[in-house]
Amino acid sequence: MLDLYSPGTSPLHRLSPGPKMLVLMIGATALFLNESLPITVGALCGVLLLYPVAQLTLKQAWQQIRPLLWIFALFFALQWWFSGIALAAYVVLRLAALILLASLVTLTTRSSDMIETMTWALGFLRPLGVNPAKVGLAISLALRFIPVLAQIAQEVREAQKARGLERSVLAVAMPVAIRTIKMADDISDAIESRGYRP
Amino acid sequence: MIEITNVSLAYGQRTVLRDISLTLSERRIAIVGANGSGKSSFARLLNGLLLPSEGTVKVDGLDTRSHGKDVRRKVGFVFQNPDNQIVFPVVEEDLAFGMKNLGFTKDTIAAKTTEILTRYDMLDLREHPAHLLSGGQKQLLAISGVLVMDPAYVVLDEPTTLLDLRNKRRITRAIDALDQTVIIASHDLDLLGDYDRVIVFDEGGIVADDVPGKAIPFYVNRMS
Ligand SMILES: Nc1ncnc2c1ncn2[C@@H]1O[C@H](COP(=O)(O)OP(=O)(O)OP(=O)(O)O)[C@@H](O)[C@H]1O
Ligand SMILES: [Mg+2]
């Protein structure tokens, strides 16, 4: 989910982000309104066919699904238990189609282009005092620093493991929090240094 | 030229820089000193990230207190940890950030991005996620993000501290090749031999200010 963009030159890469995000929204709505299993299967196959069109491999498609496998299994089991296997298959396939469709958009669209489009689309909130550019920056920062935070948490966990403290929530959470606050200070200095005007 | 006149700096009750007056006009200036001696605080005064509690800092005649924005345009700042100053997820997006803030056109941004990435042999990393770069590449990206804004001065706060020897050398070479005036806080004394001037800080004051041949042995002596 984090290495969102996969560089390429396919028609889907070249399509501007606005239409892609619109199709995603319409497609997602349609998938939810549709109640037929065959159509859901068709939609899933259709989305999968678009992966090669976007110069993406089916392996990449699988990588989008794999981290969510246990959620799929849980949904499937619950639905099967309550409503039968046909509905369980329908629910899980619909979810898979949805995730693959959304990933297709994020894999073929630079996050900066996506954020720019979102910033533009959020323009209507300006009269309410929302600054869309700030929302855009916030999203970029989140995308940028999630891996950094994950790395910090990993380092702290390893350090505490050496002291036998890796099971203590506090012993891990405190150093992570302190390093994060210190980091946030530097980041805001860096943003200011680089000429950002809020 | 950067003029620092009777500057003191306090964090709350605690004074960390005491009555410092300096005129910085050399091309290569280094600041050395023990941990906590005030190097980072001093560096942050130079582009107005911190304002002095007393006294004034002027960059080419512009007071950091009243002309913060113009000063920051003139004085680029590179932090110790590149992870904290790369603010966008993808290399070229991060380079574009500062240039967009300065209102550069899309064409200019693209051209300058190509130019700087070529200079540091990173053109193939243009669309690379920033978090997958090596430590040395991250610091080069951080420096590049500052350089594309065309600063006249570059202040660097321990830019090589987190790097291995090979990357230390790479970053040092990049810094040595800069056209800009460089002011660097560093613990890597062996990198400072060619500098024009070395200023030694101790407990918030200046205890030596000389050519490296004299200031560095003085500092080493004092530390041991
Ligand atoms: N934001 C802050 N609030 C309060 N005290 C601070 C703050 N930043 C630094 N200090 C204190 O100011 C003093 C000088 O710190 P500074 O970071 O400028 O030193 P330094 O020479 O850069 O040290 P180092 O070599 O460890 O980077 C230290 O005693 C430090 O604890
Ligand atoms: Mg420091």
Side-chain angles (χ1 to χ4, degrees):
Chain A
M1 274 295 279
L2 283 170
D3 297 324
L4 298 158
Y5 180 62
S6 167
T9 51
S10 77
L12 276 162
H13 282 85
R14 288 197 305 266
L15 196 64
S16 63
K20 268 188 280 191
M21 288 161 80
L22 201 65
V23 168
L24 171 60
M25 268 160 56
I26 295 169
T29 313
L31 271 170
F32 263 93
L33 293 179
N34 156 59
E35 289 181 353
S36 127
L37 180 59
I39 291 182
T40 307
V41 173
L44 181 61
C45 294
V47 173
L48 277 173
L49 278 177
L50 283 174
Y51 271 70
V53 173
Q55 297 167 347
L56 299 164
T57 60
L58 289 178
K59 186 167 166 236
Q60 275 169 301
W62 168 241
Q63 281 167 349
Q64 311 305 315
I65 297 288
R66 197 181 45 196
L68 301 167
L69 228 45
W70 64 273
I71 296 184
F72 280 61
L74 185 71
F75 274 27
F76 189 80
L78 286 176
Q79 288 291 343
W80 192 0
W81 180 260
F82 287 116
S83 327
I85 192 157
L87 202 64
Y90 160 73
V91 165
V92 167
L93 291 176
R94 182 177 68 179
L95 194 59
L98 202 63
I99 286 164
L100 287 173
L101 182 62
S103 302
L104 191 62
V105 174
T106 51
L107 282 165
T108 58
T109 317
R110 269 166 234 271
S111 49
S112 56
D113 290 346
M114 203 135 55
I115 288 162
E116 215 162 83
T117 306
M118 263 187 309
T119 307
W120 172 81
L122 287 173
F124 73 96
L125 291 173
R126 209 172 270 127
L128 301 174
V130 176
N131 180 343
K134 277 192 191 169
V135 178
L137 180 64
I139 298 170
S140 298
L141 287 173
L143 290 177
R144 160 74 184 112
F145 286 103
I146 287 168
V148 179
L149 287 175
Q151 168 93 35
I152 289 179
Q154 173 77 17
E155 281 169 23
V156 169
R157 237 189 335 256
E158 274 162 15
Q160 299 300 45
K161 195 171 186 173
R163 304 163 54 196
L165 287 174
E166 77 274 20
R167 292 203 172 276
S168 155
V169 174
L170 204 62
V172 174
M174 280 304 286
V176 171
I178 289 167
R179 279 183 61 178
T180 306
I181 291 166
K182 170 86 183 73
M183 182 173 101
D185 249 0
D186 280 355
I187 295 163
S188 87
D189 277 353
I191 289 174
E192 197 180 342
S193 283
R194 292 173 69 188
Y196 182 71
R197 286 175 299 263
Chain B
M1 188 168 67
I2 302 182
E3 292 165 279
I4 297 135
T5 316
N6 301 118
V7 162
S8 297
L9 178 74
Y11 293 110
Q13 293 295 307
R14 191 142 162 262
T15 303
V16 296
L17 292 174
R18 277 184 203 81
D19 195 25
I20 291 178
S21 294
L22 284 172
T23 302
L24 307 177
S25 56
E26 293 79 1
R27 269 192 78 235
R28 293 288 182 265
I29 300 171
I31 298 157
V32 301
N35 291 133
S37 56
K39 302 180 298 294
S40 297
S41 306
F42 177 78
R44 279 172 167 72
L45 287 170
L46 301 180
N47 81 336
L49 279 177
L50 285 175
L51 295 173
S53 315
E54 280 166 55
T56 58
V57 177
K58 284 187 184 170
V59 179
D60 295 341
L62 299 170
D63 193 321
T64 55
R65 191 177 295 282
S66 49
H67 293 80
K69 228 162 264 168
D70 302 321
V71 167
R72 277 191 282 283
R73 162 116 216 222
K74 275 180 178 292
V75 184
F77 199 103
V78 177
F79 295 78
Q80 175 176 2
N81 187 347
D83 257 331
N84 296 354
Q85 60 183 322
I86 298 170
V87 293
F88 276 76
V90 175
V91 169
E92 68 174 345
E93 294 172 353
D94 187 70
L95 289 172
F97 175 64
M99 295 192 273
K100 278 187 189 160
N101 291 336
L102 296 180
F104 289 9
T105 63
K106 268 206 153 82
D107 290 343
T108 311
I109 291 176
K112 290 182 81 83
T113 299
T114 306
E115 184 199 319
I116 199 85
L117 289 176
T118 308
R119 185 195 305 184
Y120 293 130
D121 203 16
M122 302 205 300
L123 202 53
D124 51 328
L125 300 176
R126 193 176 185 128
E127 297 188 338
H128 214 69
H131 76 277
L132 298 181
L133 298 177
S134 74
Q137 288 169 334
K138 279 185 189 169
Q139 194 56 288
L140 280 175
L141 173 60
I143 292 172
S144 300
V146 167
L147 293 181
V148 288
M149 297 172 69
D150 301 324
Y153 303 84
V154 182
V155 177
L156 306 103
D157 188 5
E158 297 190 36
T160 54
T161 302
L162 300 175
L163 303 177
D164 63 31
L165 197 58
R166 196 161 144 267
N167 282 306
K168 256 190 224 297
R169 296 230 172 90
R170 193 165 173 211
I171 298 296
T172 306
R173 248 181 286 129
I175 296 169
D176 285 345
L178 293 179
D179 295 326
Q180 283 87 350
T181 293
V182 168
I183 299 158
I184 186 172
S186 184
H187 289 295
D188 289 318
L189 303 179
D190 44 332
L191 310 179
L192 308 176
D194 299 331
Y195 274 57
D196 299 315
R197 181 174 176 187
V198 175
I199 303 170
V200 184
F201 275 65
D202 194 8
E203 303 200 344
I206 293 168
V207 291
D209 180 355
D210 214 321
V211 293
K214 291 188 178 155
I216 291 175
F218 172 87
Y219 172 58
V220 171
N221 227 342
R222 198 181 169 96
M223 287 284 100
S224 50

